[in-house]
Protein backbone atom coordinates (compact mmCIF):
# COMPACT_ATOMS: atom_id res chain seq x y z
CA UNK A 1 0.00 0.00 0.00
CA UNK A 2 1.38 3.43 -0.96
CA UNK A 3 1.81 6.19 1.61
CA UNK A 4 -0.88 8.40 -0.01
CA UNK A 5 -3.42 5.56 0.09
CA UNK A 6 -2.42 4.91 3.70
CA UNK A 7 -3.02 8.59 4.55
CA UNK A 8 -6.40 8.66 2.73
CA UNK A 9 -7.64 5.60 4.57
CA UNK A 10 -6.57 6.94 7.96
CA UNK A 11 -8.17 10.37 7.35
CA UNK A 12 -11.40 8.67 6.24
CA UNK A 13 -11.42 6.51 9.35
CA UNK A 14 -10.84 9.59 11.53
CA UNK A 15 -13.86 11.40 10.10
CA UNK A 16 -15.93 8.24 10.50
CA UNK A 17 -15.07 7.98 14.20
CA UNK A 18 -15.69 11.71 14.70
CA UNK A 19 -19.10 11.47 13.01
CA UNK A 20 -20.16 8.46 15.12
CA UNK A 21 -18.92 10.09 18.36
CA UNK A 22 -20.90 13.28 17.80
CA UNK A 23 -23.98 11.36 16.65
CA UNK A 24 -23.94 9.31 19.85
CA UNK A 25 -23.45 12.49 21.90
CA UNK A 26 -26.49 14.12 20.28
CA UNK A 27 -28.60 11.00 20.79
CA UNK A 28 -27.60 10.71 24.46
CA UNK A 29 -28.38 14.32 25.39
CA UNK A 30 -30.94 15.18 22.68
CA UNK A 31 -34.03 15.26 24.93
CA UNK A 32 -32.28 17.32 27.61
CA UNK A 33 -30.89 19.61 24.93
CA UNK A 34 -34.43 20.37 23.71
CA UNK A 35 -35.56 21.21 27.22
CA UNK A 36 -32.62 23.57 27.75
CA UNK A 37 -33.14 25.30 24.40
CA UNK A 38 -36.86 25.82 25.06
CA UNK A 39 -36.08 27.32 28.48
CA UNK A 40 -33.58 29.60 26.77
CA UNK A 41 -36.21 30.75 24.27
CA UNK A 42 -38.67 31.56 27.05
CA UNK A 43 -35.99 33.51 28.93
CA UNK A 44 -34.94 35.45 25.82
CA UNK A 45 -38.49 36.37 24.76
CA UNK A 46 -39.52 37.51 28.24
CA UNK A 47 -36.30 39.48 28.68
CA UNK A 48 -36.73 41.24 25.34
CA UNK A 49 -40.34 42.18 26.06
CA UNK A 50 -39.66 43.19 29.66
CA UNK A 51 -36.92 45.57 28.51
CA UNK A 52 -39.38 47.39 26.21
CA UNK A 53 -41.99 49.18 28.36
CA UNK A 54 -43.89 50.44 25.29
CA UNK A 55 -44.92 46.89 24.27
CA UNK A 56 -46.33 46.05 27.71
CA UNK A 57 -48.19 49.37 27.82
CA UNK A 58 -49.91 48.66 24.49
CA UNK A 59 -51.99 45.81 25.98
CA UNK A 60 -55.24 46.40 27.89
CA UNK A 61 -54.79 43.56 30.42
CA UNK A 62 -52.23 41.01 31.64
CA UNK A 63 -53.93 38.00 29.98
CA UNK A 64 -53.65 39.61 26.57
CA UNK A 65 -49.95 40.36 27.20
CA UNK A 66 -49.28 36.76 28.29
CA UNK A 67 -51.02 35.47 25.13
CA UNK A 68 -48.73 37.70 23.05
CA UNK A 69 -45.68 36.32 24.87
CA UNK A 70 -46.75 32.72 24.26
CA UNK A 71 -47.29 33.49 20.57
CA UNK A 72 -43.78 34.92 20.31
CA UNK A 73 -42.33 31.89 22.12
CA UNK A 74 -44.08 29.48 19.73
CA UNK A 75 -42.83 31.47 16.73
CA UNK A 76 -39.26 31.49 18.06
CA UNK A 77 -39.34 27.73 18.78
CA UNK A 78 -40.70 27.05 15.29
CA UNK A 79 -37.95 29.16 13.74
CA UNK A 80 -35.34 27.09 15.60
CA UNK A 81 -37.03 23.80 14.62
CA UNK A 82 -37.99 23.01 18.21
CA UNK A 83 -41.57 22.23 17.16
CA UNK A 84 -40.30 18.92 15.74
CA UNK A 85 -39.20 15.93 17.83
CA UNK A 86 -35.53 16.01 18.82
CA UNK A 87 -34.92 12.56 17.27
CA UNK A 88 -36.45 13.41 13.88
CA UNK A 89 -34.03 13.02 10.93
CA UNK A 90 -34.31 16.75 10.16
CA UNK A 91 -33.33 17.76 13.69
CA UNK A 92 -30.44 15.29 13.96
CA UNK A 93 -29.19 16.15 10.48
CA UNK A 94 -29.35 19.88 11.22
CA UNK A 95 -27.59 19.39 14.56
CA UNK A 96 -24.77 17.42 12.88
CA UNK A 97 -24.46 20.11 10.19
CA UNK A 98 -24.14 22.84 12.83
CA UNK A 99 -21.48 20.90 14.76
CA UNK A 100 -19.44 20.11 11.65
CA UNK A 101 -19.54 23.80 10.64
CA UNK A 102 -18.46 24.77 14.21
CA UNK A 103 -21.82 26.43 14.95
CA UNK A 104 -22.27 25.38 18.59
CA UNK A 105 -24.81 28.11 19.36
CA UNK A 106 -25.03 30.16 22.58
CA UNK A 107 -24.07 28.98 26.05
CA UNK A 108 -26.90 28.94 28.57
CA UNK A 109 -24.99 30.01 31.69
CA UNK A 110 -21.26 30.37 30.94
CA UNK A 111 -19.51 33.23 29.18
CA UNK A 112 -16.01 34.05 28.03
CA UNK A 113 -13.83 36.51 29.97
CA UNK A 114 -14.91 39.14 27.43
CA UNK A 115 -18.58 38.44 28.24
CA UNK A 116 -19.51 36.56 25.05
CA UNK A 117 -21.94 33.64 25.38
CA UNK A 118 -21.05 32.26 21.94
CA UNK A 119 -19.69 28.75 22.56
CA UNK A 120 -17.08 29.09 19.82
CA UNK A 121 -15.76 32.30 21.43
CA UNK A 122 -15.56 30.55 24.82
CA UNK A 123 -13.70 27.55 23.36
CA UNK A 124 -11.34 29.79 21.38
CA UNK A 125 -10.46 31.56 24.63
CA UNK A 126 -9.92 28.44 26.78
CA UNK A 127 -8.25 26.04 24.32
CA UNK A 128 -4.95 27.98 23.85
CA UNK A 129 -4.44 28.05 27.64
CA UNK A 130 -4.88 24.28 27.92
CA UNK A 131 -2.52 23.71 25.00
CA UNK A 132 -0.01 26.11 26.58
CA UNK A 133 0.06 24.15 29.84
CA UNK A 134 -0.23 20.57 28.62
CA UNK A 135 1.73 20.83 25.38
CA UNK A 136 4.57 22.54 27.23
CA UNK A 137 4.56 19.95 30.00
CA UNK A 138 4.38 17.03 27.53
CA UNK A 139 7.31 18.46 25.57
CA UNK A 140 9.43 18.83 28.73
CA UNK A 141 8.44 15.34 29.89
CA UNK A 142 9.39 13.86 26.51
CA UNK A 143 12.83 15.51 26.46
CA UNK A 144 13.65 14.48 30.05
CA UNK A 145 12.22 10.98 29.51
CA UNK A 146 14.23 10.37 26.33
CA UNK A 147 17.50 11.55 27.89
CA UNK A 148 17.08 9.54 31.12
CA UNK A 149 15.62 6.50 29.33
CA UNK A 150 18.41 6.35 26.76
CA UNK A 151 21.02 6.79 29.47
CA UNK A 152 19.48 3.95 31.51
CA UNK A 153 19.33 1.66 28.46
CA UNK A 154 23.05 2.18 27.93
CA UNK A 155 23.76 0.83 31.42
CA UNK A 156 21.18 -1.88 32.05
CA UNK A 157 21.36 -3.18 35.63
CA UNK A 158 23.29 -0.18 36.94
CA UNK A 159 22.20 1.85 39.98
CA UNK A 160 20.91 4.58 37.68
CA UNK A 161 18.84 2.06 35.74
CA UNK A 162 17.32 0.64 38.91
CA UNK A 163 16.52 4.11 40.27
CA UNK A 164 14.84 5.03 36.96
CA UNK A 165 12.61 1.95 37.08
CA UNK A 166 11.78 2.46 40.75
CA UNK A 167 10.92 6.16 40.28
CA UNK A 168 8.68 5.25 37.33
CA UNK A 169 6.67 2.86 39.49
CA UNK A 170 6.44 5.28 42.43
CA UNK A 171 5.50 8.37 40.37
CA UNK A 172 2.91 6.46 38.34
CA UNK A 173 1.25 5.27 41.55
CA UNK A 174 0.17 8.75 42.60
CA UNK A 175 -2.66 10.64 40.87
CA UNK A 176 -1.84 14.12 39.61
CA UNK A 177 -4.61 15.73 41.68
CA UNK A 178 -3.20 14.34 44.95
CA UNK A 179 0.37 15.45 44.22
CA UNK A 180 -1.11 18.76 43.05
CA UNK A 181 -2.78 19.34 46.39
CA UNK A 182 0.49 18.58 48.21
CA UNK A 183 2.36 20.98 45.93
CA UNK A 184 -0.22 23.71 46.54
CA UNK A 185 -0.02 23.19 50.32
CA UNK A 186 3.80 23.24 50.40
CA UNK A 187 4.65 25.94 47.84
CA UNK A 188 1.58 28.18 48.26
CA UNK A 189 0.82 27.98 52.00
CA UNK A 190 4.12 26.92 53.64
CA UNK A 191 6.81 28.53 51.49
CA UNK A 192 4.45 31.11 49.88
CA UNK A 193 6.43 31.03 46.61
CA UNK A 194 3.57 30.42 44.18
CA UNK A 195 -0.15 31.29 44.33
CA UNK A 196 -2.67 28.61 45.24
CA UNK A 197 -4.90 29.50 42.28
CA UNK A 198 -3.50 29.27 38.75
CA UNK A 199 -5.97 31.84 37.46
CA UNK A 200 -4.33 35.29 37.29
CA UNK A 201 -5.90 37.99 39.45
CA UNK A 202 -5.82 40.57 36.64
CA UNK A 203 -8.09 40.70 33.57
CA UNK A 204 -6.97 39.25 30.19
CA UNK A 205 -6.96 42.77 28.73
CA UNK A 206 -4.27 43.96 31.15
CA UNK A 207 -0.78 44.38 29.56
CA UNK A 208 0.78 42.20 32.24
CA UNK A 209 -1.67 39.32 31.84
CA UNK A 210 0.62 36.99 29.86
CA UNK A 211 3.46 37.44 32.36
CA UNK A 212 1.07 36.78 35.24
CA UNK A 213 -0.33 33.74 33.43
CA UNK A 214 3.20 32.33 32.98
CA UNK A 215 3.94 32.85 36.71
CA UNK A 216 0.69 31.13 37.73
CA UNK A 217 1.45 28.26 35.32
CA UNK A 218 4.72 27.27 37.05
CA UNK A 219 3.22 25.18 39.87
CA UNK A 220 0.85 23.02 37.71
CA UNK A 221 3.59 22.68 35.07
CA UNK A 222 6.17 21.42 37.60
CA UNK A 223 3.60 19.02 39.09
CA UNK A 224 2.65 17.49 35.73
CA UNK A 225 6.31 17.10 34.72
CA UNK A 226 7.23 15.57 38.09
CA UNK A 227 4.49 12.95 37.74
CA UNK A 228 5.02 12.27 34.05
CA UNK A 229 8.71 11.93 33.24
CA UNK A 230 9.30 8.77 35.32
CA UNK A 231 6.94 6.62 33.24
CA UNK A 232 8.28 8.19 30.07
CA UNK A 233 11.86 7.29 31.02
CA UNK A 234 10.80 3.72 31.71
CA UNK A 235 9.03 3.37 28.33
CA UNK A 236 11.99 4.83 26.41
CA UNK A 237 14.41 2.64 28.37
CA UNK A 238 12.49 -0.51 27.40
CA UNK A 239 12.18 0.53 23.74
CA UNK A 240 15.91 1.26 23.63
CA UNK A 241 16.89 -2.04 25.27
CA UNK A 242 14.90 -3.89 22.60
CA UNK A 243 16.38 -1.79 19.79
CA UNK A 244 19.94 -2.44 21.02
CA UNK A 245 19.42 -6.19 20.58
CA UNK A 246 18.96 -5.80 16.79
CA UNK A 247 21.59 -7.57 14.73
CA UNK A 248 22.93 -4.46 12.99
CA UNK A 249 23.30 -2.68 16.34
CA UNK A 250 25.25 -5.67 17.72
CA UNK A 251 27.39 -5.61 14.57
CA UNK A 252 28.24 -1.94 15.15
CA UNK A 253 29.40 -2.83 18.66
CA UNK A 254 31.74 -5.49 17.31
CA UNK A 255 33.43 -3.08 14.86
CA UNK A 256 34.25 -0.68 17.70
CA UNK A 257 31.81 2.21 17.23
CA UNK A 258 31.61 4.16 20.52
CA UNK A 259 28.72 3.03 22.70
CA UNK A 260 27.45 6.58 23.19
CA UNK A 261 27.10 7.05 19.43
CA UNK A 262 25.34 3.68 19.08
CA UNK A 263 22.84 4.55 21.81
CA UNK A 264 22.01 8.17 20.91
CA UNK A 265 22.24 7.82 17.14
CA UNK A 266 21.46 4.31 15.83
CA UNK A 267 19.42 2.66 18.64
CA UNK A 268 17.41 5.83 19.38
CA UNK A 269 16.52 6.12 15.68
CA UNK A 270 15.31 2.51 15.62
CA UNK A 271 13.17 3.12 18.70
CA UNK A 272 11.68 6.33 17.21
CA UNK A 273 8.32 4.89 15.93
CA UNK A 274 7.01 3.66 19.30
CA UNK A 275 8.38 6.76 21.06
CA UNK A 276 6.51 9.02 18.59
CA UNK A 277 3.36 7.00 19.16
CA UNK A 278 3.65 7.41 22.92
CA UNK A 279 4.28 11.15 22.46
CA UNK A 280 1.13 11.62 20.35
CA UNK A 281 -0.96 9.59 22.78
CA UNK A 282 0.48 11.58 25.69
CA UNK A 283 -0.60 14.89 24.11
CA UNK A 284 -4.15 13.71 23.46
CA UNK A 285 -4.36 11.90 26.80
CA UNK A 286 -3.18 14.95 28.71
CA UNK A 287 -5.97 17.07 27.18
CA UNK A 288 -8.52 14.51 28.31
CA UNK A 289 -7.08 14.38 31.82
CA UNK A 290 -7.02 18.16 32.01
CA UNK A 291 -10.45 18.19 33.62
CA UNK A 292 -9.21 17.07 37.05
CA UNK A 293 -5.82 18.78 36.87
CA UNK A 294 -7.25 22.16 35.85
CA UNK A 295 -9.99 21.87 38.47
CA UNK A 296 -7.39 21.28 41.23
CA UNK A 297 -5.15 24.18 40.17
CA UNK A 298 -8.03 26.38 38.95
CA UNK A 299 -6.29 26.78 35.59
CA UNK A 300 -8.56 28.78 33.20
CA UNK A 301 -8.55 26.26 30.35
CA UNK A 302 -10.69 23.61 28.66
CA UNK A 303 -10.66 21.22 31.61
CA UNK A 304 -12.09 23.74 34.06
CA UNK A 305 -14.60 24.87 31.43
CA UNK A 306 -15.72 21.25 30.98
CA UNK A 307 -16.05 20.86 34.76
CA UNK A 308 -18.12 24.05 35.08
CA UNK A 309 -20.32 23.14 32.08
CA UNK A 310 -21.11 19.74 33.58
CA UNK A 311 -21.80 21.31 37.00
CA UNK A 312 -24.42 23.76 35.64
CA UNK A 313 -25.58 21.45 32.77
CA UNK A 314 -24.65 23.90 30.03
CA UNK A 315 -25.24 21.45 27.16
CA UNK A 316 -24.10 23.63 24.21
CA UNK A 317 -20.73 24.09 25.95
CA UNK A 318 -20.52 20.35 26.74
CA UNK A 319 -21.14 19.47 23.07
CA UNK A 320 -18.63 22.05 21.85
CA UNK A 321 -15.95 20.91 24.32
CA UNK A 322 -16.59 17.25 23.51
CA UNK A 323 -16.25 17.94 19.80
CA UNK A 324 -13.03 19.92 20.28
CA UNK A 325 -11.36 17.32 22.52
CA UNK A 326 -12.45 14.50 20.19
CA UNK A 327 -10.97 16.28 17.18
CA UNK A 328 -7.67 16.80 19.00
CA UNK A 329 -7.57 13.20 20.18
CA UNK A 330 -8.23 11.82 16.69
CA UNK A 331 -5.79 14.26 15.09
CA UNK A 332 -3.01 13.19 17.45
CA UNK A 333 -3.78 9.51 16.76
CA UNK A 334 -3.71 10.23 13.04
CA UNK A 335 -0.35 12.02 13.25
CA UNK A 336 1.10 9.17 15.32
CA UNK A 337 -0.24 6.58 12.88
CA UNK A 338 1.11 8.41 9.84
CA UNK A 339 4.53 8.91 11.41
CA UNK A 340 4.65 5.24 12.43
CA UNK A 341 3.76 4.24 8.87
CA UNK A 342 6.37 6.62 7.49
CA UNK A 343 9.17 5.26 9.67
CA UNK A 344 8.09 1.62 9.41
CA UNK A 345 6.75 0.58 5.94
CA UNK A 346 5.62 -2.77 7.41
CA UNK A 347 2.77 -0.90 9.14
CA UNK A 348 1.44 0.38 5.79
CA UNK A 349 1.67 -3.04 4.20
CA UNK A 350 -0.27 -4.60 7.07
Amino acid sequence: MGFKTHVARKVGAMFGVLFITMLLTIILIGANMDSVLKQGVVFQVRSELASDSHIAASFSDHAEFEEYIQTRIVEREKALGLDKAWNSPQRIGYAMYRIITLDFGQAVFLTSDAGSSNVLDILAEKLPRTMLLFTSSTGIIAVIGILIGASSAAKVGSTKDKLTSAFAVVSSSFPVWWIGMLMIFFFAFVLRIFPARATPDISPGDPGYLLSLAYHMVLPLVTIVLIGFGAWSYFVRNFMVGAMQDEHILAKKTIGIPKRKIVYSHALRNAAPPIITILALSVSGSLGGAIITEAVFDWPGMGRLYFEAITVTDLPVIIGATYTLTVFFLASILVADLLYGYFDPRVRRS
Side-chain angles (χ1 to χ4, degrees), residues 16-317:
V17 172
L18 179 62
F19 181 85
I20 293 172
T21 301
M22 298 316 303
L23 183 61
L24 289 175
T25 304
I26 291 173
I27 291 174
L28 288 173
I29 66 174
N32 291 329
M33 186 74 178
D34 253 24
S35 176
V36 171
L37 289 176
K38 288 180 179 178
Q39 291 176 13
V41 168
V42 172
F43 178 76
Q44 287 178 354
V45 170
R46 289 191 176 277
S47 298
E48 290 171 5
L49 296 179
S51 62
D52 191 341
S53 58
H54 298 291
I55 294 179
S58 64
F59 293 95
S60 56
D61 55 37
H62 181 71
E64 187 180 355
F65 183 53
E66 278 297 319
E67 184 180 353
Y68 177 75
I69 291 176
Q70 292 303 319
T71 303
R72 294 292 302 272
I73 291 174
V74 171
E75 289 175 353
R76 188 72 63 85
E77 289 180 351
K78 190 174 182 180
L80 294 173
L82 297 176
D83 57 325
K84 299 182 179 64
W86 70 267
N87 54 358
S88 65
Q90 296 92 336
R91 290 286 308 279
I92 293 180
Y94 182 62
M96 291 296 295
Y97 170 77
R98 289 184 60 186
I99 291 174
I100 292 173
T101 56
L102 302 180
D103 180 10
F104 302 116
Q106 303 292 317
V108 180
F109 303 105
L110 304 178
T111 62
S112 67
D113 292 338
S116 172
S117 59
N118 188 293
V119 175
L120 194 59
D121 291 341
I122 298 174
L123 296 176
E125 181 185 83
K126 306 297 183 184
L127 185 60
R129 297 170 184 170
T130 293
M131 294 181 67
L132 174 66
L133 175 60
F134 288 93
T135 304
S136 302
S137 59
T138 302
I140 295 172
I141 287 172
V143 171
I144 297 176
I146 290 173
L147 292 176
I148 295 179
S151 177
S152 299
K155 299 177 181 178
V156 176
S158 64
T159 302
K160 183 178 183 179
D161 181 36
K162 293 177 181 176
L163 288 176
T164 300
S165 301
F167 182 75
V169 173
V170 173
S171 62
S172 301
S173 302
F174 297 103
V176 177
W177 63 266
W178 190 74
I179 297 297
M181 294 180 71
L182 292 180
M183 296 285 282
I184 291 173
F185 172 76
F186 189 70
F187 288 100
F189 296 105
V190 178
L191 297 181
R192 299 180 182 275
I193 298 176
F194 297 108
R197 293 183 66 222
T199 298
D201 299 325
I202 58 178
S203 67
D206 194 289
Y209 180 77
L210 290 180
L211 186 62
S212 177
L213 188 68
Y215 171 63
H216 285 73
M217 190 178 79
V218 173
L219 195 56
L221 179 72
V222 170
T223 304
I224 297 171
V225 171
L226 187 64
I227 290 295
F229 82 85
W232 247 89
S233 303
Y234 188 67
F235 287 140
V236 173
R237 179 257 186 204
N238 288 343
F239 292 145
M240 293 286 292
V241 169
M244 291 179 69
Q245 301 304 315
D246 292 345
E247 292 184 358
H248 71 283
I249 296 293
L250 296 175
K252 292 181 185 301
K253 291 181 181 177
T254 59
I255 61 178
I257 296 179
K259 189 173 183 178
R260 185 180 181 82
K261 185 176 182 180
I262 292 175
V263 171
Y264 290 99
S265 179
H266 303 287
L268 188 58
R269 186 183 305 167
N270 287 1
I275 292 175
I276 291 172
T277 304
I278 294 295
L279 178 60
L281 293 176
S282 298
V283 173
S284 59
S286 64
L287 293 177
I291 297 176
I292 299 176
T293 306
E294 290 189 3
V296 170
F297 287 100
D298 198 24
W299 178 254
M302 286 288 293
R304 200 183 75 177
L305 175 68
Y306 219 144
F307 181 78
E308 292 175 348
I310 293 173
T311 302
V312 299
T313 321
D314 201 326
L315 295 179
V317 176

Side-chain angles (χ1 to χ4, degrees), residues 1-10 341 345-350:
M1 184 189 301
F3 188 69
K4 291 183 179 178
T5 306
H6 179 71
V7 172
R9 290 184 62 176
K10 294 300 178 185
R346 294 172 298 178
V347 175
R348 301 201 301 269
R349 287 196 294 269
S350 63

